[in-house]
Amino acid sequence: MMKTNKKLNIICIALSIIVILYCLTSAIQQISNDKKYYKDYVVKNELGKQVNLDDKQIFNLYDSLIDYIDTGDETLIKDNFNNREVLHMKDVHQLFNLNKQINKASMLVFYLFILMNFIIILYKEKSKTLTEKDLNIFSEKTKLVKNYILVLIGAMLILAIFIASDFSKYFIKFHELFFDNDLWVLNPETDIMIRMLPEDYFMKMASRIAFSFISKLAIIIIILMGLSYLAKRRRNV
């Protein structure tokens, strides 16, 4: 059993956080862009009656919001929503753009980590300089990253339980944390956005994001376990 040094621990903790960010931002992008789910929600909950629009009109409004979040093109929403709603959507667009940038950066770092380690091992194997220590280090890295990911998942599950216990409270805290103004405080009497996007929809969306997030992490954990196993087998050859 190799002794894990401090530097390796720090690297693996950092990488596990990067993997968490990659899976979380990927899940947010995937679920937030799922127009079909929203349309199913509208039909199932008869949202048209509450918004005083037919389903097709609501679908078109929602499509314009999702397209705006992706492009930032105000012409998509300014004719359908009032000034306060448009200003709030500018903030939302910036938040999703940040999510997209974090997703790209974390994905790049994670795949570079895997690729570089494979290249080093293949190069050393070809040059006949591959040692048991090299394989031990690779196996230890993958095992540590997997273990730290599991620890972080545990912490996030505890947080998720707190959020689920009072979603309304933490939904408000989320907005207070990520927005530096009160534009997100909309009036159902004057702002159609809050009527077509009720809190219940966001609660169900958060559950779907959590499921997608865990699923993506599970795949990466299986990959890491497989890499660690292959390194051990190669070491024992």
Side-chain angles (χ1 to χ4, degrees), residues 52-63:
N52 296 321
L53 295 173
D54 62 44
D55 290 351
K56 186 177 179 180
Q57 288 174 309
I58 300 177
F59 297 160
N60 288 336
L61 289 177
Y62 186 77
D63 286 346

Side-chain angles (χ1 to χ4, degrees), residues 92-188:
V92 173
H93 167 66
Q94 291 176 358
L95 199 58
F96 271 87
N97 193 50
L98 176 62
N99 184 83
K100 191 183 296 183
Q101 298 307 315
I102 293 173
N103 179 256
K104 289 179 180 177
S106 56
M107 178 178 65
L108 180 64
V109 172
F110 175 64
Y111 286 125
L112 277 177
F113 166 79
I114 299 295
L115 182 61
M116 285 177 64
N117 278 279
F118 262 112
I119 289 174
I120 290 170
I121 288 176
L122 290 173
Y123 172 78
K124 288 191 172 186
E125 188 170 39
K126 189 175 180 180
S127 63
K128 301 188 184 304
T129 57
L130 184 65
T131 65
E132 184 176 337
K133 182 180 179 181
D134 294 323
L135 292 169
N136 281 340
I137 291 174
F138 180 75
S139 178
E140 188 71 8
K141 281 180 185 176
T142 54
K143 185 180 75 173
L144 282 173
V145 172
K146 178 206 70 175
N147 290 343
Y148 286 129
I149 288 173
L150 290 173
V151 170
L152 289 171
I153 289 175
M156 293 180 78
L157 284 174
I158 293 171
L159 177 62
I161 291 171
F162 276 106
I163 293 173
S165 68
D166 192 347
F167 184 81
S168 295
K169 173 185 173 181
Y170 291 102
F171 190 57
I172 291 172
K173 287 187 178 297
F174 167 85
H175 284 80
E176 291 173 342
L177 177 63
F178 287 99
F179 298 103
D180 59 1
N181 53 55
D182 64 352
L183 292 170
W184 56 273
V185 182
L186 300 175
N187 183 353

